[in-house]
Amino acid sequence: MPMEKTFDPAAIEAKWAHEWESRGLFRPARPDATPFTIVNPPPNVTGALHIGHALDNTLQDVLVRYERLRGKDALWVVGMDHAGIATQMVVERQMEERQDKRTNYSREDFVEKVWQWKAESGGQITGQLRRLGCSMDWSREQFTMDPHFTRAVVKVFVDLHKKGLIYRDKRLVNWDPKLKTAISDLEVETHEVQGGFWHFKYPLADGVTLDDGRDYIEVATTRPETMLADMAVAVHPDDARYKSVIGKDILQPITGRRFRIVADEHADPELGSGAVKITPGHDFNDFDVGKRAGFKPGEMLNMLDGDANVIQTADGLIPQEYLGLHRFKRDGIDGARELVVARMKELGFLIPHVVTSKDGETVEQDAEPRTIQTPFGDRGGVVIEPWLTDQWYVDAETLAQPPMTAVRDGRINIVPKTWEKTFFNWMENIQPWCVSRQLWWGHRIPAWYAKDGRIFVAETEEEAQAQAGAGVALTRDEDVLDTWFSSALWPFATLGWPENTELLKRHYPNDVLISGFDILFFWDARMAMQGMEFMGDVPWKTLYLHGLVRAPDGAKMSKSKGNVVDPLGLIDQYGADALRFFMSAMESQGRDIKMDDARLAGYRNFATKLWNAARFCEANGISASTSFEAPAATLPVNRWIIGEVAATVAAMETAFAAYRFDEAANAIYSFAWDRFCDWYLELIKGAIDDETKAVAGWVLDQILVMLHPFMPFITEELWTGLGDRADYPLITAKWPAPTADSDAAASADIDWLIKLVSELRTAKAELGLPPGARLNAHFPASLKGRTDKLAAQLDRLARLEAISFDPAPAGASAQLVVEGETITIPLEGVIDIAAERDRLTKALAAAAKERDGLAGRLNNPSFVERAKPEAVEKARADHAAKEAEADRLTAALARLG
């Protein structure tokens, strides 16, 4: 059946996605083949495909399809993450819409509702990944809350606890008052907030004064409410202003609490007054100062509940009027912060901030206005509160040592290498990892408590009871594990661990992990820790980190900016193949990708060009090849194109080995568009004999195979349409391995012909001649053998009226220099030489003027430093274009002699 006249991506994408999966072609049985394994970063069960997913999964699929074509037992593990916080938020939000809430249910009933939501609405991203063409092993789709995975998570927790690598501790955590759970440092976003910097007098007790006679120490804070739980004032041990009062007491004005002045290098004499109020229960730096001052975490005062409302401290000194207030103003209602400032002002302990108005008058303000870097929860969206609680921690410092060694000795290869410094910087300064979360949805922590405070950690309640002894009442920990704790087991738990399955033995360690750099610490480093701890080997041999996909102007995409791009919309507009090729061709190591609709359209045109080339072949009796090896060829043009195939295969293999997706994509793009479509098909027109049919069919097949990892849909459609090979689909075909030697003479002849025709076409365009104009040409006698051999192609492509080896007549002419030889094209009588020279001169002057003007702006530091980046970039692009135009016009004038 003849091919459709026009290429319609939508018509073929759904068909092939279903065909591949239904026939099991994503995981063909290859028990004796070399394994190749990659695990997909599990998207959240709540997630929808975004542009970052499109990049990440395209790169993975390119590698998997490439290795599958190379005959490997390619396994791409796919699954979803239960996404504790995100999923619970989605379900609770739906409850709120029905005037319902989680606390109306038992824990078990709520969790059942989450499972119902997953069955009905979760996992839409898996269908979206199929639309992108992801050839994952869908038959083994994983979920981090599946029974086998849950067993692995519980075992890891218990085993780490036995080794002393998981422990319970009272420490400050990042507390999200909206979600009412601890979150990790990596889940905290810093936003700039307009706030205040208040200065207060803290009176010295017992009549003590400073050397200058003051009976108070000045302290400053951006969080006045925390003074309700202050436990010390710190000064630098070498600060001469305060040496005499170190060890003396402060009498806090509001609470009446007495506490010491301590010496600590945390206090910087150059900042403010050099004295710092210390609230160890509500500030991370203060927590460390407090420990150095001798306070045990259990002794540190806590003044807030889980909603960040004021509660009474252990010493009972917070006045009644503060209890129940929120930490600061909320919903227009003043909180503890506002009341503290008001009371300190009434008591005469607020030091006003004095400013001078435009009229020269001095004005007192309660606080100095400041832009404050403020921590927010990335999901709850409210200000994070450092909060002192009992949580479970992983000894990340110990677990980090083997992965660092593996990166240093090369067992883990990070690509690009520039990320190694960032990796080591984080790992060498890693903090204990808080893994408990105050949620209901997730892996419940396998720890049970007796009434006397003893803790029993076990895989089952029966084992915990056996540890505790008969008759001891046990209560299970209410918390669940951080989602990243379970996903850290992804490279081995998805393969059957803790059972020593054949799949695990065959596919661990994985070969490569493709990851965004933004989850290097969330996920990648933690996989390395857990993999090396429990498997004794690295989780993957290569860690490839790609950049972000940005808006066309280089800005980060965000919903608030309205510049988010929907990849499904791009697939609808341009086709999945075009989007995949764009992502691959633009993925240059160490650089972010800027969205570019023009390039997407260009790659859609590339697919159309290939489609039309296949239709040309079909119309000329060129069909699927019957040989894996290159056909026998005698004609120079055929021997040349076979050599070009071999060169392209080699270039792509080199690029893939170095994870240069851009170079691999551009190699096949250049060959398919330029060498095959633009030149080879033109060169064989009108001379398609049996040898040429065989070679052309074979070359087109090789193009389809090489292009398949990037553009799977169109290549499979063409592969099937050009020949009867339903039992040999492209997805499981063989990667090209041409053994034919390159014919240097044939390549030299055809390359020379292409250069000549290109120069001639350029000259015609520059001189305003129509492309079809037939011209006379005078060649050096040394080229007679070559022109005789290529006479037919010269006549058809170069459109030369006559070829002469006599000297060119005197007069104006165009000089074409090809590989050092000059071919002369007489122009007398062909164009008006004087008028053309005048036109070119004027155009050159205009282009040079614009070029020089742009160069002047770019050489002006004031412009480059102060203008918007996009304005500077546009100026550079405009300058390059005008410079190229000036060079072209200069060359055109030179041709006129």
Side-chain angles (χ1 to χ4, degrees):
M1 181 171 145
M3 290 176 57
E4 294 291 334
K5 184 176 181 181
T6 57
F7 168 54
D8 179 11
I12 65 172
E13 288 172 1
K15 176 181 79 172
W16 283 113
H18 177 266
E19 177 78 6
W20 290 325
E21 187 175 346
S22 63
R23 291 178 59 183
L25 297 176
F26 293 156
R27 188 82 206 289
R30 292 175 176 175
D32 300 323
T34 301
F36 176 83
T37 314
I38 190 168
V39 296
N40 179 46
N44 287 350
V45 66
T46 58
L49 191 73
H50 59 62
I51 201 70
H53 288 133
L55 169 62
D56 198 75
N57 287 280
T58 291
L59 300 181
Q60 292 174 73
D61 196 47
V62 166
L63 283 186
V64 168
R65 288 180 182 270
Y66 170 63
E67 297 295 354
R68 192 184 292 120
L69 288 168
R70 296 176 75 203
K72 292 186 180 179
D73 177 19
L75 170 64
W76 188 6
V77 175
V78 61
M80 291 185 297
D81 191 282
H82 66 278
I85 294 177
T87 305
Q88 185 160 320
M89 282 179 65
V90 167
V91 176
E92 288 198 59
R93 199 176 295 129
Q94 290 184 349
M95 286 182 162
E96 289 172 8
E97 292 171 359
R98 301 191 298 269
Q99 285 75 51
D100 201 357
K101 58 183 178 180
R102 171 172 58 94
T103 51
N104 288 342
Y105 300 86
S106 69
R107 181 186 189 121
E108 291 71 23
D109 289 343
F110 175 78
V111 169
E112 180 57 35
K113 285 188 174 292
V114 180
W115 280 108
Q116 290 173 8
W117 171 86
K118 177 185 180 292
E120 296 168 3
S121 307
Q124 64 169 313
I125 195 170
T126 59
Q128 296 166 342
L129 289 171
R130 286 173 166 92
R131 281 202 65 189
L132 190 63
C134 295
S135 57
M136 297 156 163
D137 184 10
W138 296 103
S139 68
R140 292 190 64 261
E141 187 175 346
Q142 305 285 301
F143 183 52
T144 50
M145 288 285 283
D146 283 341
H148 75 278
F149 207 99
T150 297
R151 182 189 166 208
V153 172
V154 170
K155 178 174 174 54
V156 165
F157 186 96
V158 173
D159 287 359
L160 288 176
H161 183 264
K162 287 177 181 176
K163 297 174 183 178
L165 296 172
I166 278 187
Y167 55 91
R168 191 161 174 81
D169 196 10
K170 184 181 289 291
R171 296 172 61 94
L172 279 184
V173 298
N174 298 302
W175 184 259
D176 189 318
K178 180 176 182 181
L179 301 179
K180 297 180 181 59
T181 181
I183 62 175
S184 74
D185 291 346
L186 298 171
E187 294 165 295
V188 175
E189 297 176 340
T190 300
H191 298 168
E192 289 189 347
V193 174
Q194 298 306 309
F197 196 47
W198 287 267
H199 294 253
F200 298 104
K201 297 175 183 178
Y202 265 22
L204 293 157
D206 306 321
V208 173
T209 60
L210 299 176
D211 292 344
D212 63 6
R214 285 183 294 160
D215 61 356
Y216 66 88
I217 284 183
E218 180 182 340
V219 296
T221 180
T222 59
R223 303 171 66 212
E225 67 277 11
T226 60
M227 69 171 60
L228 299 175
D230 276 357
M231 299 182 72
V233 166
V235 296
H236 195 279
D238 298 329
D239 193 334
R241 295 171 295 178
Y242 304 117
K243 274 194 174 184
S244 65
V245 297
I246 292 174
K248 304 300 183 182
D249 282 357
I250 291 288
L251 192 61
Q252 211 284 332
I254 289 180
T255 62
R257 186 180 299 121
R258 290 178 70 106
F259 46 75
R260 286 180 300 131
I261 299 169
V262 300
D264 195 285
E265 292 184 354
H266 169 64
D268 185 348
E270 302 298 321
L271 288 178
S273 68
V276 184
K277 60 184 282 301
I278 301 300
T279 319
H282 292 282
D283 182 277
F284 288 100
N285 290 322
D286 291 4
F287 179 79
D288 292 334
V289 174
K291 287 197 298 182
R292 290 193 292 269
F295 295 113
K296 295 177 181 177
E299 299 170 340
M300 296 176 182
L301 297 177
N302 174 47
M303 55 166 280
L304 297 172
D305 63 12
D307 293 303
N309 296 329
V310 177
I311 58 173
Q312 188 56 269
T313 50
D315 61 8
L317 293 178
I318 297 181
Q320 183 68 31
E321 65 176 330
Y322 293 91
L323 301 182
L325 294 178
H326 193 60
R327 52 188 166 163
F328 44 66
K329 181 180 282 190
R330 181 178 61 176
D331 300 329
I333 301 173
D334 283 351
R337 176 177 299 177
E338 290 70 30
L339 184 56
V340 162
V341 172
R343 293 292 179 262
M344 289 292 280
K345 187 174 183 180
E346 289 171 7
L347 295 168
F349 292 112
L350 173 69
I351 302 174
H353 176 63
V354 179
V355 296
T356 303
S357 69
K358 292 181 179 179
D359 300 328
E361 297 181 4
T362 57
V363 179
E364 290 188 353
Q365 299 175 343
D366 286 351
E368 174 190 349
R370 285 266 184 108
T371 299
I372 302 168
Q373 301 295 321
T374 306
F376 283 76
D378 64 351
R379 293 190 183 277
V382 299
V383 176
I384 292 304
E385 186 64 44
W387 204 43
L388 195 62
T389 60
D390 292 306
Q391 302 283 348
W392 289 94
Y393 291 89
V394 170
D395 180 359
E397 182 180 2
T398 297
L399 291 178
Q401 302 311 308
M404 286 194 288
T405 301
V407 172
R408 289 190 179 102
D409 64 26
R411 282 175 293 155
I412 293 178
N413 175 35
I414 297 180
V415 181
K417 285 283 185 190
T418 49
W419 280 108
E420 284 189 4
K421 182 178 179 181
T422 306
F423 172 82
F424 284 123
N425 184 58
W426 190 72
M427 295 288 267
E428 288 166 355
N429 296 282
I430 200 165
Q431 298 298 307
W433 174 18
C434 177
V435 293
S436 44
R437 298 291 182 267
Q438 290 63 54
L439 303 168
W440 282 2
W441 171 246
H443 298 103
R444 195 165 176 181
I445 290 174
W448 285 261
Y449 302 92
K451 289 182 179 179
D452 61 7
R454 288 180 296 158
I455 304 175
F456 303 96
V457 173
E459 292 188 38
T460 65
E461 187 171 2
E462 291 73 22
E463 291 177 19
Q465 191 67 63
Q467 292 177 26
V472 177
L474 296 179
T475 303
R476 187 167 184 177
D477 197 308
E478 292 287 326
D479 293 348
V480 299
L481 286 163
D482 177 12
T483 298
W484 296 102
F485 184 89
S486 50
S487 60
L489 317 185
W490 197 248
F492 55 94
T494 55
L495 301 176
W497 189 91
E499 301 299 327
N500 191 26
T501 63
E502 289 302 315
L503 199 66
L504 181 65
K505 288 186 281 188
R506 182 167 174 76
H507 290 281
Y508 190 94
N510 310 161
D511 287 87
V512 61
L513 177 74
I514 304 283
S515 167
F517 71 82
D518 52 336
I519 56 172
L520 173 59
F521 309 125
F522 273 121
W523 190 48
D524 307 342
R526 289 165 175 172
M527 276 191 290
M529 294 180 200
Q530 301 287 43
M532 297 194 74
E533 177 66 25
F534 287 93
M535 296 299 296
D537 200 354
V538 299
W540 7 257
K541 299 157 193 171
T542 297
L543 170 59
Y544 181 89
L545 298 169
H546 59 74
L548 299 175
V549 182
R550 295 184 175 273
D553 62 359
K556 191 172 181 179
M557 292 187 186
S558 70
K559 291 180 181 178
S560 62
K561 292 180 180 177
N563 61 358
V564 173
V565 174
D566 175 15
L568 297 180
L570 296 176
I571 290 174
D572 291 338
Q573 186 174 1
Y574 301 107
D577 285 328
L579 177 59
R580 290 168 58 104
F581 202 90
F582 169 80
M583 292 297 182
S584 304
M586 298 300 287
E587 172 52 26
S588 181
Q589 289 178 13
R591 297 180 62 184
D592 290 340
I593 293 174
K594 292 182 183 179
M595 285 307 302
D596 187 334
D597 282 353
R599 280 186 176 271
L600 277 164
Y603 294 132
R604 168 71 159 73
N605 294 341
F606 174 48
T608 299
K609 190 176 184 77
L610 185 65
W611 184 272
N612 291 336
R615 289 185 63 241
F616 170 85
C617 289
E618 181 186 59
N620 284 276
I622 298 167
S623 59
S625 177
T626 56
S627 169
F628 181 68
E629 302 293 336
T634 58
L635 296 173
V637 69
N638 290 331
R639 295 180 67 80
W640 164 75
I641 198 66
I642 290 171
E644 292 291 307
V645 169
T648 303
V649 171
M652 291 185 71
E653 289 176 349
T654 298
F656 275 128
Y659 296 95
R660 291 305 305 251
F661 294 92
D662 53 343
E663 292 180 1
N666 290 326
I668 183 57
Y669 177 90
S670 176
F671 173 70
W673 183 298
D674 183 44
R675 311 306 263 176
F676 182 74
C677 295
D678 280 356
W679 288 110
Y680 179 71
L681 295 183
E682 284 296 314
L683 288 165
I684 65 173
K685 275 182 183 177
I688 303 177
D689 57 14
D690 288 343
E691 175 192 306
T692 301
K693 287 180 181 179
V695 170
W698 178 84
V699 172
L700 183 54
D701 271 2
Q702 308 316 296
I703 288 174
L704 297 179
V705 176
M706 289 187 282
L707 187 57
H708 181 75
F710 303 103
M711 292 181 139
F713 293 111
I714 186 174
T715 52
E716 190 75 81
E717 179 74 10
L718 293 177
W719 177 270
T720 303
L722 289 169
D724 182 14
R725 40 191 174 188
D727 58 342
Y728 187 56
L730 175 56
I731 189 174
T732 52
K734 291 183 179 179
W735 182 256
T739 56
D741 293 331
S742 177
D743 186 330
S747 294
D749 283 343
I750 301 302
D751 284 342
W752 175 86
L753 175 63
I754 290 171
K755 290 173 187 174
L756 171 64
V757 173
S758 298
E759 283 288 319
L760 189 56
R761 289 174 176 173
T762 299
K764 286 181 178 179
E766 290 172 350
L767 297 171
L769 292 170
R774 301 187 69 86
L775 303 172
N776 297 324
H778 293 258
F779 285 77
S782 58
L783 293 177
K784 191 171 189 311
R786 180 169 273 173
T787 56
D788 288 347
K789 193 188 310 181
L790 301 171
Q793 288 91 343
L794 280 170
D795 179 66
R796 190 174 66 259
L797 296 179
R799 304 191 68 79
L800 294 175
E801 185 69 30
I803 293 176
S804 171
F805 298 97
D806 297 329
S813 62
Q815 310 291 313
L816 311 181
V817 180
V818 180
E819 295 183 355
E821 301 270 18
T822 301
I823 295 96
T824 303
I825 310 294
L827 295 177
E828 292 289 345
V830 176
I831 61 173
D832 184 332
I833 303 296
E836 184 62 18
R837 183 177 286 113
D838 184 56
R839 182 187 72 80
L840 291 172
T841 300
K842 290 178 180 176
L844 174 58
K849 182 178 180 181
E850 289 190 55
R851 174 200 65 197
D852 295 343
L854 288 163
R857 291 178 69 194
L858 292 169
N859 289 330
N860 181 354
S862 179
F863 169 73
V864 175
E865 292 168 7
R866 296 180 184 177
K868 291 182 178 180
E870 54 267 31
V872 176
E873 189 170 336
K874 184 179 185 304
R876 285 185 177 134
D878 290 346
H879 175 263
K882 289 302 174 183
E883 188 171 45
E885 183 180 355
D887 291 345
R888 179 184 63 78
L889 293 166
T890 300
L893 276 169
R895 291 187 194 282
L896 293 178

